[in-house]
Amino acid sequence: MSRMGDVLAGFHAAWEFESDSVLIRFERGIRTPKLFQALGERRIPHEAISAVTLSSGKRGTVVLHAVPRPGADPLMEAAAGQLKENCDPYRLVLPAERETLAEYYADELRAQLPPDDGESPDRFLVAPPEAPLQFKAYDGKASFDGKLVSFRWFWTGASSAKWKAGDQSFPVTDLSGIEWRSPEVFEGHLRLLRRETPVAQPAQADQDPAAVVFGLGYGPVHESLPFAASVLAAVRASGPAPNSDGLGAVAAAVTPAVRRDPADIAERIRHLGELHRAGLLTDDEFTVKKTELLAEL
């Protein structure tokens, strides 16, 4: 049995092993992923971990991985598998010469995990990032105070549909979950899923007043994902969502695409051009997406 308070330090983080949990403290150095810096530290109860693995990493490293139990952590539920490996807060990367020590701690941690019954917990076991939170998306500013999510539109980026709808506020009690699409994947967004809507939400996030869209420098992972996780945790704490599994991160209901305002198309093409010039889109990707947008006119 490892002594309570033992610490295993790796690149970008240190894990402190306690009697009922692992306390992960992330470094704030310039080389540390921004998501880790934003999280600061996280306490992961043993019951939130389903398995522990140790494997070879890149360039003379080993990776200790505490596999989170599905439904236990609002951050990982919101991420929905979209995080890059180097931004996974459950991976501790160590120099290869510490493999024996890492193997010892992996075995000790495995021995303390409760039996995994394969079922999702009925509540989140890991604390969400603290509210209040806010970040700038491409088409508006998103704010959350723990009870109310607010979107304030930017005239430079918001679609005419959002301008017509006006600034939006959503009590968490009116929401069933969230849909987060990483800005590191093409056309990221944060969409709020409502318990009851008079009509189905638009398929396109830039047309949905319950969504903000991301872009070059807008809605980065280290800002938008903790925000999404905090909202998701508040939604789940407010009562069970009407979907079958009780989790918040469910797919949005969509309707067939509608013809867009030409001004919106022009704005999206301008944004594509920015991504292309910044080297984030290849010539082919830019051409294909531009053709798709023009076909919607």
Side-chain angles (χ1 to χ4, degrees):
M1 174 71 67
S2 60
R3 297 180 302 278
M4 190 171 81
D6 280 3
V7 175
L8 182 62
F11 299 111
H12 309 318
W15 289 13
E16 183 172 341
F17 298 89
E18 302 189 346
S19 59
D20 61 352
S21 60
V22 178
L23 179 61
I24 302 177
R25 291 192 174 96
F26 298 103
E27 292 182 0
R28 297 191 180 276
I30 193 169
R31 296 179 183 274
T32 303
K34 288 184 178 180
L35 177 61
F36 292 176
Q37 296 183 51
L39 293 174
E41 69 176 44
R42 310 192 81 214
R43 185 178 299 279
I44 314 298
H46 291 159
E47 60 182 334
I49 302 171
S50 65
V52 181
T53 66
L54 184 66
S55 58
S56 298
K58 299 175 182 176
R59 295 186 293 276
T61 62
V62 292
V63 180
L64 181 61
H65 185 201
V67 182
R69 186 176 165 192
D73 183 350
L75 187 84
M76 303 308 284
E77 290 301 301
Q82 298 172 78
L83 283 179
K84 294 181 177 178
E85 269 195 352
N86 67 330
C87 286
D88 184 341
Y90 284 81
R91 297 172 80 253
L92 180 67
V93 182
L94 304 127
E97 56 265 27
R98 292 192 194 169
E99 181 174 4
T100 302
L101 186 61
E103 194 167 0
Y104 166 76
Y105 281 111
D107 288 341
E108 292 294 312
L109 184 54
R110 286 189 197 104
Q112 296 180 55
L113 299 184
D116 186 358
D117 57 12
E119 295 184 5
S120 295
D122 58 4
R123 60 184 176 84
F124 285 129
L125 304 174
V126 182
E130 293 181 7
L133 297 165
Q134 61 184 34
F135 71 92
K136 287 184 179 180
Y138 178 71
D139 56 357
K141 180 181 179 181
S143 304
F144 179 51
D145 64 5
K147 295 182 179 180
L148 195 71
V149 184
S150 301
F151 294 156
R152 193 180 78 226
W153 307 123
F154 296 152
W155 69 270
T156 51
S159 64
S160 58
K162 291 183 178 180
W163 272 113
K164 289 172 185 174
D167 291 346
Q168 301 287 305
S169 292
F170 304 88
V172 294
T173 51
D174 291 350
L175 303 176
S176 66
I178 58 94
E179 177 185 82
W180 180 78
R181 292 292 176 264
S182 173
E184 294 178 347
V185 179
F186 191 64
E187 289 195 339
H189 64 259
L190 170 65
R191 190 195 301 264
L192 304 177
L193 307 180
R194 289 169 281 188
R195 290 181 187 272
E196 297 178 10
T197 50
V199 294
Q201 293 181 238
Q204 295 149 337
D206 67 339
Q207 301 295 306
D208 187 352
V212 288
V213 297
F214 306 147
L216 186 61
Y218 295 95
V221 171
H222 70 281
E223 293 180 0
S224 62
L225 179 57
F227 183 102
S230 188
V231 173
L232 181 56
V235 169
R236 189 159 175 193
S238 72
N243 54 303
S244 60
D245 61 10
L247 296 180
V250 296
V254 296
T255 55
V258 295
R259 297 186 76 82
R260 294 199 199 184
D261 185 318
D264 293 338
I265 296 289
E267 180 62 24
R268 295 300 283 170
I269 290 176
R270 185 187 70 77
H271 181 219
L272 282 175
E274 290 178 0
L275 295 173
H276 183 230
R277 287 190 293 276
L280 298 177
L281 288 179
T282 65
D283 292 344
D284 287 345
E285 288 170 335
F286 173 72
T287 301
V288 168
K289 194 60 187 176
K290 181 179 177 182
T291 301
E292 288 177 1
L293 287 170
L294 290 172
E296 295 177 23
L297 287 174

